[in-house]
Amino acid sequence: MKRRSISWSIALKFSVFLAVFVLLLSLSLIFIVTKQVRNREERILSNSISTLKNMIENGRQEDLLKNEITKIPYFISWTIAEYDTLEIIYSNDPFIPVMDDTGGKAVHYTQKDYYTDGDLNIMYVSSVSSDQKYLFQASMNMDQDSIEKFLSYLPVSLLIIFLPLLILSFFAAYLISKNTMKPISKITSAARGISSSNLESSLPVTKKDNELNLLAKTFNDLFDRLKADFEKERAFTSNVSHELKTPVAVIQGHANLLQRWGKDDPSQLEKSLAAISKETKTMSSIITNLLQLTHLENKDVKLSPSSFTISSLITRITEDVASYSPATTIITDLTSKNDITITTDLELLHQVCTVITQNSVKFCTEHPCTIKIHVESNSQNATITFTDNGPGITPQVLPHIFHRFYRGDESHNRKAGGSGLGLSIAKEIMNVLGGSISAKSTDDGQTGAIFSLSIPVNHDIINL
């Protein structure tokens, strides 16, 4: 089935709408004009009746054929008859029959074959004198009324021009809509050539400030974001392969060694099993971190909010650091005056703090590590800042510090330990908690890294 052009559809709808609108407008005008004409005719007939009544009731019958009668328009047929017998007393058209009393209201009356050469078609007004002796009647011939004829022909004329109007408006609307839809056709053609492997292409953008241009810019922005996401996913896949390749190679190497001869050597057997166990834990840690990162990014996390003080969190962090790095010193300026209570998921916030402190301890290799913890707060947010005395973060590394699998060492190897997912997880946790995390080097730009956590004091946590 051939696809119908949207220009054709728009043109058809517009032409039908325009034709119907013109038709309804014309009918409305006809109704208004007809109403005005009818009112005018009724006024003329009523005024003629009043003139006749004044002459008769004031005893001036002799003036009927003289001066007073000239006040009645020439095209008005008038009659004065006896009310009881309906016998005509005066009339300027004796062929017009005497009608019943209408109470001063205009009535349309027709009678087929009344005349030898046609029908009777009049509008008349009749009224009885106050003494009920006379019946006054005034009428006009509707067949000789030019305005009436015009109004009777007008609906037919409108119907005759309705079809040409429909056709002309259709072609006009089609040409206009087709010209208007050209940019959409160009956008469609360009979009067909864009795929996941060809996101460098973009939709055509003009200098016109209209909705179609805005649509093209919006799609181009979307393609740019998709391109960045695809590149991120490709890098992620490559990094996962790289991270898992090393432990798999180690495990496979020791397994082959044991199969050949190592199982018969107790010392080699113990050494190989220890290496296999270590690399297995590394792989398990990577997989666990990846699963957690996926849940965090998909907001598939069930939070457990609770209220606790900042001091209790820092105390727990200090005890944790002392357990795996007794030489590390924790310095805090927290006192009872600036200690506050916050409501959030304690375990997730503790995990973020642990990632930061473990990184500080890990990279402070030349001297004992010192970590300073500073707390600030207001009615809405609490800020916890960690400052260490390590090597700091270089300007080249800083933009990528929260990327998955990214490590700051030049060789991008695993000698520093970890999988490069800790800070990525920390960032996603802070997003879930409604807060944020940022990193920078100390003011001297040479030593020390600064990580700041901003968390709502009373965040409205929803179990996602």
Side-chain angles (χ1 to χ4, degrees):
M1 183 178 180
K2 186 177 181 180
R3 179 175 59 87
R4 179 182 296 177
S5 170
I6 190 172
S7 299
W8 188 91
S9 179
I10 292 175
L12 179 61
K13 292 177 182 178
F14 174 78
S15 59
V16 171
F17 169 79
L18 180 61
V20 172
F21 174 76
V22 171
L23 180 62
L24 292 177
L25 180 61
S26 302
L27 293 177
S28 300
L29 291 175
I30 292 174
F31 174 79
I32 294 173
V33 172
T34 302
K35 188 68 175 176
Q36 294 294 330
V37 170
R38 291 285 181 267
N39 291 337
R40 174 179 172 273
E41 292 171 344
E42 290 181 9
R43 276 197 310 272
I44 293 174
L45 293 174
S46 297
N47 291 337
S48 300
I49 292 292
S50 298
T51 300
L52 294 174
K53 277 188 175 183
N54 288 335
M55 289 187 293
I56 294 297
E57 292 179 351
N58 292 333
R60 292 180 292 165
Q61 292 90 334
E62 67 277 6
D63 293 334
L64 284 174
L65 300 175
K66 297 180 182 179
N67 297 330
E68 293 287 340
I69 202 64
T70 59
K71 296 181 179 179
I72 301 177
Y74 71 92
F75 55 85
I76 297 297
S77 299
W78 55 269
T79 300
I80 302 176
E82 295 284 348
Y83 177 66
D84 294 333
T85 62
L86 298 182
E87 181 181 350
I88 297 176
I89 301 174
Y90 300 103
S91 178
N92 68 344
D93 188 354
F95 293 103
I96 301 296
V98 179
M99 306 292 184
D100 295 332
D101 178 22
T102 64
K105 296 181 179 179
V107 176
H108 190 195
Y109 178 79
T110 59
Q111 184 176 337
K112 291 287 186 180
D113 301 322
Y114 181 79
Y115 299 107
T116 56
D117 58 348
D119 303 329
L120 177 65
N121 182 17
I122 62 172
M123 178 178 287
Y124 75 97
V125 174
S126 62
S127 179
V128 181
S129 62
S130 58
D131 57 5
Q132 294 189 347
K133 288 183 179 181
Y134 303 101
L135 177 66
F136 303 95
Q137 178 177 300
S139 62
M140 63 173 61
N141 191 343
M142 306 303 290
D143 288 335
Q144 297 179 356
D145 190 343
S146 59
I147 297 179
E148 185 70 23
K149 289 183 178 180
F150 171 75
L151 293 177
S152 63
Y153 294 148
L154 191 56
V156 178
S157 302
L158 289 176
L159 290 176
I160 294 175
I161 66 173
F162 179 78
L163 184 59
L165 176 64
L166 182 65
I167 296 174
L168 290 176
S169 60
F170 170 78
F171 283 108
Y174 179 76
L175 292 175
I176 294 173
S177 61
K178 186 177 181 180
N179 184 62
T180 304
M181 298 298 290
K182 280 184 178 179
I184 296 182
S185 300
K186 293 180 180 178
I187 291 175
T188 303
S189 299
R192 287 196 182 110
I194 299 176
S195 63
S196 60
S197 59
N198 185 28
L199 290 175
E200 291 79 9
S201 302
S202 61
L203 302 181
V205 177
T206 65
K207 296 181 179 180
K208 296 180 180 180
D209 186 16
N210 55 31
E211 291 80 359
L212 294 179
N213 207 42
L214 178 61
L215 177 63
K217 290 180 179 179
T218 302
F219 272 108
N220 287 337
D221 292 340
L222 173 62
F223 293 147
D224 289 339
R225 293 194 299 270
L226 288 175
K227 179 183 177 182
D229 288 339
F230 275 118
E231 290 177 352
K232 186 186 297 184
E233 292 303 319
R234 291 190 187 103
F236 174 74
T237 303
S238 176
N239 288 331
V240 170
S241 301
H242 175 77
E243 293 295 330
L244 295 179
K245 182 178 181 180
T246 300
V248 169
V250 173
I251 292 174
Q252 185 176 9
H254 282 280
N256 291 336
L257 182 62
L258 292 176
Q259 284 181 341
R260 291 197 305 269
W261 59 271
K263 60 180 180 295
D264 298 325
D265 186 344
S267 61
Q268 183 60 46
L269 177 61
E270 184 177 355
K271 182 180 179 180
S272 296
L273 291 177
I276 291 173
S277 177
K278 178 183 177 182
E279 298 302 328
T280 302
K281 290 179 180 179
T282 299
M283 294 178 62
S284 177
S285 176
I286 293 174
I287 294 172
T288 301
N289 288 337
L290 285 174
L291 288 174
Q292 184 182 17
L293 189 58
T294 301
H295 289 312
L296 290 169
E297 290 177 342
N298 295 332
K299 301 297 186 292
D300 185 20
V301 182
K302 186 175 182 180
L303 303 179
S304 301
S306 61
S307 297
F308 55 89
T309 61
I310 294 292
S311 59
S312 64
L313 175 63
I314 293 178
T315 299
R316 181 177 173 183
I317 294 170
T318 303
E319 293 174 352
D320 292 342
V321 173
S323 65
Y324 62 80
S325 179
T328 298
T329 302
I330 301 291
I331 301 174
T332 178
D333 58 1
L334 185 65
T335 64
S336 58
K337 293 183 179 180
N338 60 0
D339 189 16
I340 61 169
T341 300
I342 64 175
T343 301
T344 188
D345 191 304
L346 173 60
E347 296 305 320
L348 287 179
L349 183 58
H350 174 263
Q351 182 178 351
V352 174
C353 296
T354 300
V355 169
I356 295 173
T357 54
Q358 285 182 345
N359 275 358
S360 296
V361 172
K362 184 190 305 179
F363 291 103
C364 288
T365 56
E366 298 182 359
H367 45 73
C369 182
T370 299
I371 303 174
K372 297 179 181 180
I373 303 178
H374 174 67
V375 179
E376 292 181 356
S377 64
N378 54 39
S379 59
Q380 296 181 341
N381 295 292
T383 302
I384 307 175
T385 303
F386 298 83
T387 305
D388 63 40
N389 60 340
I393 307 172
T394 62
Q396 295 79 11
V397 171
L398 191 58
H400 311 284
I401 196 72
F402 295 106
H403 291 181
R404 293 174 292 187
F405 292 113
Y406 186 84
R407 298 190 185 89
D409 54 291
E410 294 292 333
S411 61
H412 196 66
N413 57 32
R414 302 171 68 238
K415 65 183 180 180
S419 60
L421 292 172
L423 290 178
S424 299
I425 293 175
K427 181 180 179 181
E428 293 300 329
I429 289 177
M430 294 306 297
N431 289 337
V432 171
L433 297 180
S436 62
I437 181 173
S438 61
K440 65 178 182 178
S441 288
T442 53
D443 295 336
D444 58 18
Q446 296 179 355
T447 60
I450 301 175
F451 286 87
S452 295
L453 306 179
S454 179
I455 185 85
V457 174
N458 291 295
H459 181 58
D460 184 16
I461 298 179
I462 303 175
N463 290 337
L464 301 175

